[in-house]
Amino acid sequence: MPQNPTDYDGVSRETSAGAHGDLLDVSRETAPRDPQGHVSRETWSGEAPAPADSAGVPDTPLARAAQAAMAARGHGGSWPRPESCRVIGVANQKGGVGKTTTTVNIAAALAMHGQRVLVIDLDPQGNASTALGAERDNQSRSIYHCLVEDEEIRKLAQPVPDIPNLWCAPATIDLAGAEIELVSLVAREARLKRAIDAYDTSELDYIFIDCPPSLGLLTVNAMVACDEVMIPIQCEYYALEGLGQLLNNVNLVQAHLNTGLKISTILLTMYDGRTRLSQQVSEEVRSHFGDLVLETLVPRSVRVSEAPSYGQSVMTYDPGSTGAAAYLEAAREMAHRAPGTGR
């Protein structure tokens, strides 16, 4: 598997162009130059240190980036644990809105801050499994075997490399045929719920279920098994078109299969503040769903897209990036609010 590339300047492109300013350029005000226009050696040797904050940390862009990275890596302290395990399905039948990215990065951020988290990859594409570095070969047992062959989730879950307290129940290509095989099984809509009920959830604080981009039996299984639904919504017009159908399906599951199901969280993703469309979608979603919508907006981020190719979440791939900071803040909001109340 490819390794995380090392930048010789120690700073990612995104970080340098993001909220921390341009770390690669030295301003004329902060870097004295000699008459020939060269940067003074005193500046680089540390003989003219930058001002420090109250904690004694130099107030420089690089220092601020390092602090953001330290916080993202879990050095910002532990967050409060829920009274009981929260089982959250991440669903939206539209593809490409950030379901898997949201699942993986919020789970990673929570685990880095003291939470015990299990991610169940219910998408046959297996993207969440890839992003979390789960082993997936022809001999691997996957969530397919849990749904069809009653395998225990405990035996399937794999610890995620480099992130303590985070586990992944992976998906393999076998899951693509599960929709057909489930049709003939008894209580086909509740197969995943039965498996989760058999798991000792007192050992966990969160279970995230990454749903496929459809409203078939796999997604229904997720909705029957979970207590809450989290909906990532891309800040574009098409993302709103199919939202009504998703809400109808949630209502149907509430009425017939899981009366305790509720939509607890909505997260706006791929936000581009330069466009009026993103602002309009954000305003419309907030006016309709109110406090269910997290305050955090997840921006478009190259680093978020790059991270899965290295078998990582953005929280470990580039914790100082704007995408990592956004998902860290979204996870913090989720950890500090009561389920379904928006507070």
Side-chain angles (χ1 to χ4, degrees), residues 12 22 34 48 55 69 71 83 88 91 129 181 215 231 261 269 277-278 283-284 286 290 293 307 324 334 337:
S12 72
D22 191 346
D34 62 21
E83 295 180 1
I88 303 172
S129 305
E181 295 183 59
L215 297 175
I231 306 176
L261 181 67
T269 63
L277 177 60
S278 286
E283 292 168 2
E284 187 168 342
R286 292 186 188 281
V293 186
M334 289 188 63
R337 63 161 56 185

Side-chain angles (χ1 to χ4, degrees), residues 220-280:
V220 171
N221 260 267
M223 290 186 180
V224 172
C226 67
D227 307 312
E228 310 172 38
V229 175
M230 179 180 185
I231 306 176
I233 298 178
Q234 182 182 8
C235 291
E236 293 187 2
Y237 174 74
Y238 285 136
L240 296 177
E241 279 198 321
L243 191 57
Q245 184 60 46
L246 175 61
L247 298 178
N248 288 338
N249 277 49
V250 171
N251 292 334
L252 287 173
V253 173
Q254 284 176 327
H256 301 287
L257 298 169
N258 183 3
T259 56
L261 181 67
K262 58 181 175 292
I263 297 173
S264 66
T265 310
I266 292 175
L267 177 64
L268 294 167
T269 63
M270 304 182 193
Y271 181 83
D272 188 345
R274 299 170 300 178
T275 66
R276 180 59 184 157
L277 177 60
S278 286
Q279 297 172 25
Q280 288 175 336

